[in-house]
Amino acid sequence: MMAETNLFPTASAPGSADVSGTVSAKLLRFSLSALIAGSVISSSALQASAQSQSLPIVRDAEIEALVSDYTAPILNAAGLGKKRIGIVLVNSPSFNAFVDGRRIFINTGALLQSESPNEIIGVIAHETGHLAGGHQDRLREQLRQAKTMAVIGTLLGLGAGIAGAMARNGAIAGAGGGIAAGGGEVAMRSLLSYQRSEEAAADRSAINYLNKTGQSAKGMLTTFERFASALSLNGTQIDAYRVSHPSPRDRIANLSQLAQASPHFNKKDPESLQLRHDMMRAKIAAYSGGLGALQRMFRNNPQGVGARYGDAITTYLRGSARNAIPKINALIKEQPRNPYFYEMKGEILLKANDPSAAAAAFKQASTLDPRKSSLIRMSYGRALMLTGNKANMETAIRELKSGVAKDPEFSEGYGYLAQAYGQSGQMALADLATADQHYYAGRINDAKIFATRAQTRMKSGSPDWLRAQDIINTKTKKK
């Protein structure tokens, strides 16, 4: 599992909606849960200024493949199969998902807490409903209207205040302040009411997509039951007019009849898909929660594949790479065509300081991988580079170049490529790869430094020279 905190510089979180028109992440991101702890939007939130913050992105070939398999049928059912909708994994323990542009963001916490594929597929169906319904664009229009309402309320308040002051009438002046405050309150409530209606529409669309794909909506109801239980346990008191989502109980009441009317309501996920889901959860638990989390997760099946997969990963992460190798080998023996077991074996062997054996494992993973994941190819190239054998450098560079060409925003790949170029004595290309690494990580000034240095040793007008020039010409955003 690879973490990248600045992979998507454009996926920053804008702040709140105030009378000057600043847009709120809580309002523009149509999230399924609106984070239980932060589901209530207070009036003070409308006065917050915008802040950019990078999302902690997680990259993992196995998890991305599984979530993609969950998503593809839903997107096709929604008529979005050809729209190149991206799936982004966010490293966060909370159960949440949201959309932004043409991307669906899913927290690792949602993947970890969903006990069946059907639960997370319901989440994806809901977010797809927002995309298909064009809710983001409509919400921006509602934000503009809310801004207008707030401004009018403020002007009325100012007018009343001035009139009161001129008449030396304190009561009128006081009323002016109330009108000004009321304008913002009305705008906020109107905006939240609109968003609640869009959330309900996305829920209904989700059930339609699930019916079209022959899948149950029971997982959606299970998710809302989880939220309702969390609110009950927390003793949270919610003002129904100050939330961006309908309450979990309302959503259950509204959807139960529709969900249960489907002929697919009691349909279970295929065993093979459930097994992949269990292994995904085991991997996330191993990386985020350790052995205790795994034992709790698989207490009813401690010898299952998922539990043993998580145990192998935990053993490796705790510094016992040599002890992890026989555990992953046992899993490979059971599933000799699982590319992700070989990928994990490669990671373990790298930690065991055996890059040659790791390269062989990554090569096998790449051969078996039907998706030809760019991440696995880059891992293969990186392992070859780490052998230090000059005979491996040409293949290492080829694999790394293929990987970054398919996945250009993965900045770490350029770092590996820069090392490979450096070991092969191609210093200009090493500087250019380093420039790309900084560029895709959002460090534009550093990217320009390395691009300028690379360009001095390149033929003017060549493709690499032009790429360096593009980086040099990039405009940096003013703070």
Side-chain angles (χ1 to χ4, degrees), residues 29-35 95-99 110 119-120 122-127 130 199 202-203 206 219-220 223-224 227 245-246 251:
R29 289 178 178 177
F30 286 90
S31 60
L32 182 71
S33 68
L35 297 185
F95 193 116
N96 202 26
F98 55 91
V99 295
E119 290 178 42
I120 205 67
V123 172
I124 292 168
H126 172 90
E127 299 306 328
H130 285 309
E199 291 297 327
D203 286 344
M220 285 184 65
T223 297
F224 295 144
F227 294 155
H245 292 55
R251 298 174 95 165

Short mmCIF file of all heavy atoms in Angstrom, two decimals, residues 29-35 95-99 110 119-120 122-127 130 199 202-203 206 219-220 223-224 227 245-246 251:
data_model
loop_
_atom_site.label_atom_id
_atom_site.label_comp_id
_atom_site.label_asym_id
_atom_site.label_seq_id
_atom_site.Cartn_x
_atom_site.Cartn_y
_atom_site.Cartn_z
N ARG A 29 -19.01 18.98 -1.27
CA ARG A 29 -18.76 17.55 -1.28
C ARG A 29 -20.03 16.83 -0.85
O ARG A 29 -20.46 16.94 0.29
CB ARG A 29 -17.62 17.20 -0.32
CG ARG A 29 -16.27 17.67 -0.81
CD ARG A 29 -15.24 17.31 0.22
NE ARG A 29 -13.92 17.69 -0.23
CZ ARG A 29 -12.84 17.54 0.51
NH1 ARG A 29 -12.93 17.02 1.70
NH2 ARG A 29 -11.67 17.90 0.04
N PHE A 30 -20.65 16.13 -1.77
CA PHE A 30 -21.84 15.37 -1.42
C PHE A 30 -21.41 14.07 -0.78
O PHE A 30 -21.19 13.08 -1.44
CB PHE A 30 -22.66 15.08 -2.68
CG PHE A 30 -23.38 16.28 -3.21
CD1 PHE A 30 -22.79 17.12 -4.14
CD2 PHE A 30 -24.65 16.58 -2.75
CE1 PHE A 30 -23.47 18.21 -4.63
CE2 PHE A 30 -25.33 17.68 -3.24
CZ PHE A 30 -24.74 18.50 -4.18
N SER A 31 -21.27 14.07 0.53
CA SER A 31 -20.80 12.86 1.22
C SER A 31 -21.98 12.06 1.72
O SER A 31 -23.04 12.60 2.03
CB SER A 31 -19.89 13.24 2.39
OG SER A 31 -20.59 14.03 3.29
N LEU A 32 -21.78 10.76 1.81
CA LEU A 32 -22.87 9.88 2.22
C LEU A 32 -23.23 10.08 3.68
O LEU A 32 -24.38 10.13 4.05
CB LEU A 32 -22.49 8.42 1.98
CG LEU A 32 -23.58 7.41 2.32
CD1 LEU A 32 -24.70 7.50 1.32
CD2 LEU A 32 -23.02 6.01 2.36
N SER A 33 -22.24 10.23 4.53
CA SER A 33 -22.50 10.27 5.96
C SER A 33 -22.41 11.66 6.56
O SER A 33 -22.97 11.91 7.61
CB SER A 33 -21.49 9.39 6.69
OG SER A 33 -20.22 9.96 6.60
N ALA A 34 -21.71 12.56 5.91
CA ALA A 34 -21.41 13.89 6.47
C ALA A 34 -20.74 13.75 7.83
O ALA A 34 -20.98 14.54 8.73
CB ALA A 34 -22.66 14.74 6.58
N LEU A 35 -19.89 12.74 7.96
CA LEU A 35 -19.14 12.50 9.20
C LEU A 35 -19.98 12.72 10.46
O LEU A 35 -20.30 13.84 10.80
CB LEU A 35 -17.90 13.41 9.27
CG LEU A 35 -16.86 13.20 8.19
CD1 LEU A 35 -15.66 14.06 8.47
CD2 LEU A 35 -16.46 11.77 8.06
N PHE A 95 -16.02 6.85 8.26
CA PHE A 95 -16.84 6.24 7.22
C PHE A 95 -17.43 7.37 6.40
O PHE A 95 -18.39 8.02 6.81
CB PHE A 95 -17.96 5.40 7.86
CG PHE A 95 -18.67 4.48 6.88
CD1 PHE A 95 -18.59 3.11 7.04
CD2 PHE A 95 -19.38 4.99 5.82
CE1 PHE A 95 -19.22 2.26 6.16
CE2 PHE A 95 -20.01 4.16 4.91
CZ PHE A 95 -19.93 2.79 5.08
N ASN A 96 -16.85 7.62 5.24
CA ASN A 96 -17.30 8.73 4.42
C ASN A 96 -16.90 8.54 2.97
O ASN A 96 -15.95 7.80 2.66
CB ASN A 96 -16.73 10.06 4.95
CG ASN A 96 -17.56 11.25 4.51
OD1 ASN A 96 -18.75 11.11 4.25
ND2 ASN A 96 -16.95 12.41 4.44
N ALA A 97 -17.63 9.19 2.09
CA ALA A 97 -17.31 9.22 0.67
C ALA A 97 -17.90 10.51 0.12
O ALA A 97 -18.86 11.05 0.68
CB ALA A 97 -17.89 8.01 -0.05
N PHE A 98 -17.33 11.02 -0.96
CA PHE A 98 -17.85 12.25 -1.56
C PHE A 98 -17.40 12.33 -3.01
O PHE A 98 -16.55 11.54 -3.46
CB PHE A 98 -17.39 13.49 -0.79
CG PHE A 98 -15.89 13.62 -0.63
CD1 PHE A 98 -15.12 14.30 -1.56
CD2 PHE A 98 -15.25 13.05 0.46
CE1 PHE A 98 -13.75 14.41 -1.41
CE2 PHE A 98 -13.88 13.16 0.63
CZ PHE A 98 -13.12 13.84 -0.31
N VAL A 99 -17.99 13.25 -3.74
CA VAL A 99 -17.62 13.44 -5.15
C VAL A 99 -17.04 14.83 -5.34
O VAL A 99 -17.36 15.77 -4.61
CB VAL A 99 -18.82 13.24 -6.09
CG1 VAL A 99 -19.31 11.81 -6.05
CG2 VAL A 99 -19.96 14.20 -5.76
N ALA A 110 -14.33 3.79 5.36
CA ALA A 110 -15.56 3.21 4.81
C ALA A 110 -15.31 1.79 4.32
O ALA A 110 -16.13 0.89 4.54
CB ALA A 110 -16.08 4.08 3.67
N GLU A 119 -22.34 -3.35 0.98
CA GLU A 119 -22.40 -2.11 1.74
C GLU A 119 -21.64 -1.00 1.03
O GLU A 119 -22.12 0.13 0.91
CB GLU A 119 -21.84 -2.32 3.15
CG GLU A 119 -22.72 -3.17 4.04
CD GLU A 119 -22.11 -3.39 5.41
OE1 GLU A 119 -21.57 -2.43 5.98
OE2 GLU A 119 -22.15 -4.53 5.90
N ILE A 120 -20.43 -1.28 0.57
CA ILE A 120 -19.63 -0.23 -0.07
C ILE A 120 -20.16 0.05 -1.47
O ILE A 120 -20.06 1.18 -1.97
CB ILE A 120 -18.13 -0.61 -0.09
CG1 ILE A 120 -17.27 0.65 -0.17
CG2 ILE A 120 -17.78 -1.56 -1.22
CD1 ILE A 120 -17.33 1.51 1.06
N GLY A 122 -23.28 0.14 -2.19
CA GLY A 122 -24.35 1.09 -1.94
C GLY A 122 -23.83 2.51 -1.79
O GLY A 122 -24.44 3.47 -2.27
N VAL A 123 -22.69 2.65 -1.13
CA VAL A 123 -22.05 3.96 -1.00
C VAL A 123 -21.69 4.52 -2.38
O VAL A 123 -21.97 5.68 -2.69
CB VAL A 123 -20.78 3.86 -0.13
CG1 VAL A 123 -20.00 5.17 -0.15
CG2 VAL A 123 -21.14 3.48 1.31
N ILE A 124 -21.09 3.68 -3.19
CA ILE A 124 -20.68 4.10 -4.53
C ILE A 124 -21.90 4.47 -5.37
O ILE A 124 -21.88 5.45 -6.13
CB ILE A 124 -19.87 2.98 -5.21
CG1 ILE A 124 -18.53 2.80 -4.49
CG2 ILE A 124 -19.65 3.27 -6.69
CD1 ILE A 124 -17.77 1.54 -4.87
N ALA A 125 -22.98 3.70 -5.23
CA ALA A 125 -24.20 3.99 -5.98
C ALA A 125 -24.77 5.35 -5.59
O ALA A 125 -25.24 6.12 -6.45
CB ALA A 125 -25.23 2.89 -5.74
N HIS A 126 -24.73 5.66 -4.30
CA HIS A 126 -25.21 6.96 -3.83
C HIS A 126 -24.38 8.10 -4.42
O HIS A 126 -24.94 9.09 -4.93
CB HIS A 126 -25.15 7.00 -2.30
CG HIS A 126 -25.44 8.36 -1.72
ND1 HIS A 126 -26.70 8.78 -1.38
CD2 HIS A 126 -24.60 9.39 -1.45
CE1 HIS A 126 -26.64 10.02 -0.91
NE2 HIS A 126 -25.38 10.40 -0.93
N GLU A 127 -23.06 7.98 -4.35
CA GLU A 127 -22.21 9.04 -4.89
C GLU A 127 -22.38 9.17 -6.40
O GLU A 127 -22.33 10.28 -6.95
CB GLU A 127 -20.75 8.77 -4.54
CG GLU A 127 -20.44 8.73 -3.05
CD GLU A 127 -20.90 9.98 -2.31
OE1 GLU A 127 -20.88 11.08 -2.90
OE2 GLU A 127 -21.29 9.86 -1.13
N HIS A 130 -25.18 11.44 -7.26
CA HIS A 130 -24.83 12.86 -7.28
C HIS A 130 -24.20 13.26 -8.61
O HIS A 130 -24.52 14.31 -9.17
CB HIS A 130 -23.86 13.17 -6.14
CG HIS A 130 -24.49 13.22 -4.79
ND1 HIS A 130 -25.61 13.96 -4.50
CD2 HIS A 130 -24.14 12.62 -3.62
CE1 HIS A 130 -25.93 13.82 -3.23
NE2 HIS A 130 -25.06 13.00 -2.67
N GLU A 199 -29.63 14.89 -1.40
CA GLU A 199 -29.20 13.65 -0.78
C GLU A 199 -30.29 12.58 -0.93
O GLU A 199 -30.00 11.42 -1.23
CB GLU A 199 -28.89 13.87 0.70
CG GLU A 199 -27.65 14.69 0.97
CD GLU A 199 -26.39 14.04 0.47
OE1 GLU A 199 -26.31 12.79 0.48
OE2 GLU A 199 -25.47 14.76 0.05
N ALA A 202 -30.27 11.33 -4.45
CA ALA A 202 -29.15 10.42 -4.71
C ALA A 202 -29.42 9.04 -4.12
O ALA A 202 -29.04 8.02 -4.70
CB ALA A 202 -27.85 10.99 -4.12
N ASP A 203 -30.10 8.98 -2.97
CA ASP A 203 -30.47 7.69 -2.39
C ASP A 203 -31.40 6.93 -3.32
O ASP A 203 -31.22 5.72 -3.55
CB ASP A 203 -31.18 7.91 -1.04
CG ASP A 203 -30.22 8.31 0.07
OD1 ASP A 203 -29.00 8.13 -0.10
OD2 ASP A 203 -30.70 8.81 1.12
N ALA A 206 -29.57 5.67 -6.31
CA ALA A 206 -28.73 4.52 -5.95
C ALA A 206 -29.52 3.22 -6.01
O ALA A 206 -29.03 2.21 -6.52
CB ALA A 206 -28.14 4.73 -4.54
N GLY A 219 -27.42 -3.38 1.74
CA GLY A 219 -26.19 -2.80 2.25
C GLY A 219 -26.35 -1.32 2.57
O GLY A 219 -25.77 -0.82 3.54
N MET A 220 -27.13 -0.59 1.75
CA MET A 220 -27.38 0.82 2.05
C MET A 220 -28.11 0.97 3.38
O MET A 220 -27.77 1.82 4.20
CB MET A 220 -28.22 1.45 0.94
CG MET A 220 -27.47 1.74 -0.34
SD MET A 220 -28.53 2.60 -1.55
CE MET A 220 -28.84 4.15 -0.70
N THR A 223 -25.83 0.45 6.26
CA THR A 223 -24.99 1.62 6.50
C THR A 223 -25.74 2.68 7.30
O THR A 223 -25.21 3.25 8.27
CB THR A 223 -24.52 2.22 5.17
OG1 THR A 223 -23.70 1.25 4.49
CG2 THR A 223 -23.72 3.49 5.38
N PHE A 224 -26.99 2.95 6.93
CA PHE A 224 -27.76 3.96 7.65
C PHE A 224 -28.08 3.51 9.07
O PHE A 224 -28.16 4.33 9.99
CB PHE A 224 -29.05 4.29 6.89
CG PHE A 224 -28.80 4.93 5.55
CD1 PHE A 224 -29.63 4.64 4.47
CD2 PHE A 224 -27.75 5.80 5.35
CE1 PHE A 224 -29.40 5.22 3.23
CE2 PHE A 224 -27.51 6.38 4.12
CZ PHE A 224 -28.34 6.09 3.05
N PHE A 227 -25.09 4.38 11.12
CA PHE A 227 -25.05 5.80 11.46
C PHE A 227 -26.05 6.12 12.57
O PHE A 227 -25.75 6.89 13.49
CB PHE A 227 -25.36 6.66 10.24
CG PHE A 227 -24.33 6.58 9.15
CD1 PHE A 227 -24.67 6.85 7.84
CD2 PHE A 227 -23.03 6.22 9.44
CE1 PHE A 227 -23.73 6.78 6.83
CE2 PHE A 227 -22.07 6.15 8.44
CZ PHE A 227 -22.43 6.43 7.13
N HIS A 245 -27.73 16.59 5.57
CA HIS A 245 -28.25 15.29 5.15
C HIS A 245 -29.50 14.95 5.95
O HIS A 245 -29.62 15.34 7.11
CB HIS A 245 -27.21 14.19 5.40
CG HIS A 245 -25.99 14.29 4.53
ND1 HIS A 245 -25.22 15.41 4.47
CD2 HIS A 245 -25.42 13.38 3.69
CE1 HIS A 245 -24.22 15.21 3.63
NE2 HIS A 245 -24.32 14.00 3.16
N PRO A 246 -30.42 14.20 5.37
CA PRO A 246 -31.54 13.69 6.17
C PRO A 246 -30.99 12.80 7.28
O PRO A 246 -29.91 12.21 7.14
CB PRO A 246 -32.36 12.87 5.15
CG PRO A 246 -31.91 13.34 3.81
CD PRO A 246 -30.48 13.75 3.97
N ARG A 251 -33.86 8.37 6.42
CA ARG A 251 -33.42 7.72 5.18
C ARG A 251 -33.86 6.27 5.16
O ARG A 251 -34.30 5.76 4.12
CB ARG A 251 -31.90 7.83 5.05
CG ARG A 251 -31.42 9.27 4.98
CD ARG A 251 -29.92 9.39 4.99
NE ARG A 251 -29.38 9.47 3.65
CZ ARG A 251 -28.14 9.86 3.38
NH1 ARG A 251 -27.34 10.18 4.37
NH2 ARG A 251 -27.72 9.92 2.15
#
